[in-house]
Amino acid sequence: TDLVPFSKRATSGNYYACCISDRGTTKGWVEPIKRKSDASDIIIGKCEMCFNMFGQYPRKIRMDYGGEFFNEKLQTYMKEKGILPDSGPRATPEYNMRQEKSQLSLEVMANAMLISSPLTAGYWDLAWKYAQYTRDRLPTNKDNAYRTPYELWNEKKPDVSKLRPFGCIGYCAFPNKSKHKMKPKAIKAIMVGYDEVRKGYLMLSMHTKRLIVSRDVTFA
């Protein structure tokens, strides 16, 4: 795991991205946060997710020696769960080079997505999350039989039929009870990802700049 700081605040108020990846499957997560101290809660949540899915906690967590990781809350939790901290000396990012390279790849993907979309740099948090979402569905290396990180982690093939380009234009249909004969039947929005809780596209309204979760979307 590692924390990526951004000089520009996202429109949602986030300044950092907490990046986590599984060493075996390369499955990753990107969690935008507002404060460095929020990283501890993100890591604890992912450890509990591993326990719920596989019945065991991670054996060790590789991270740098920053205060966002080496604090009383996270270190106490790791000690209680038998998780070993794995860190090099201060100012040695090369010790966590695998994660550093992964984040560089995400940065390139996210920047390309933003540049090719009608969105500004203020939406970097959405672009980074979608870059990780896409990367988890790309084939890995020969050692893993070219299976995707999603398949290695969930033991099933991902459904890529709903994949759409980041920043593409779509029209979200209003619910039937909200439709009127002489008014628009849909709202124009920009596709920025997928909702993690509810099944549907995560769309950004071009009029209100608010996020919409919709399953009924017609893309231009």
Side-chain angles (χ1 to χ4, degrees), residues 5-67:
F6 288 84
S7 57
K8 183 177 181 62
R9 181 178 68 89
T11 55
S12 56
N14 296 311
Y15 274 106
Y16 306 91
C18 183
C19 301
I20 303 173
S21 61
D22 174 59
R23 186 174 181 85
T25 65
T26 69
K27 173 74 172 69
W29 299 266
V30 172
E31 300 294 344
I33 55 179
K34 296 180 180 179
R35 299 173 295 273
K36 285 187 175 182
S37 57
D38 296 336
S40 296
D41 294 328
I42 297 297
I43 295 174
I44 291 174
K46 290 295 182 286
C47 290
E48 291 296 328
M49 178 193 67
C50 290
F51 182 79
N52 290 336
M53 291 183 67
F54 308 112
Q56 63 182 30
Y57 292 99
R59 287 177 294 182
K60 64 172 62 176
I61 299 178
R62 176 164 290 189
M63 49 193 161
D64 59 32
Y65 204 75

Side-chain angles (χ1 to χ4, degrees), residues 145-166:
Y146 301 107
R147 291 179 293 173
T148 65
Y150 179 95
E151 182 180 357
L152 292 169
W153 179 263
N154 295 286
E155 297 183 346
K156 64 177 181 180
K157 292 183 180 295
D159 180 12
V160 296
S161 62
K162 302 297 183 181
L163 283 179
R164 296 291 185 275
F166 180 88

Side-chain angles (χ1 to χ4, degrees), residues 40 67-79:
S40 296
E68 62 272 17
F69 301 125
F70 279 83
N71 55 65
E72 183 179 356
K73 180 179 182 179
L74 183 57
Q75 293 302 312
T76 299
Y77 172 84
M78 293 173 63
K79 187 175 181 179

Side-chain angles (χ1 to χ4, degrees), residues 154-216:
N154 295 286
E155 297 183 346
K156 64 177 181 180
K157 292 183 180 295
D159 180 12
V160 296
S161 62
K162 302 297 183 181
L163 283 179
R164 296 291 185 275
F166 180 88
C168 66
I169 304 299
Y171 296 86
C172 306
F174 291 134
N176 290 330
K177 62 180 180 180
S178 302
K179 292 180 179 179
H180 299 278
K181 290 184 178 180
M182 302 303 294
K183 292 185 178 181
K185 305 298 189 295
I187 184 172
K188 190 176 183 180
I190 303 172
M191 193 274 188
V192 292
Y194 304 89
D195 190 74
E196 296 179 342
V197 180
R198 297 164 291 177
K199 289 185 177 181
Y201 293 103
L202 191 62
M203 309 292 292
L204 180 69
S205 170
M206 298 185 68
H207 177 65
T208 63
K209 301 301 181 183
R210 291 185 178 182
L211 292 174
I212 305 169
V213 178
S214 176
R215 296 184 62 184
D216 191 0

Side-chain angles (χ1 to χ4, degrees), residues 75-111:
Q75 293 302 312
T76 299
Y77 172 84
M78 293 173 63
K79 187 175 181 179
E80 291 176 351
K81 304 303 182 182
I83 304 173
L84 298 176
D86 185 10
S87 174
R90 293 184 183 275
T92 54
E94 61 272 13
Y95 186 77
N96 200 13
M97 186 54 66
R98 183 169 182 172
Q99 184 66 15
E100 296 286 345
K101 289 182 178 179
S102 174
Q103 290 165 190
L104 180 60
S105 175
L106 288 176
E107 179 182 344
V108 173
M109 291 177 66
N111 286 343

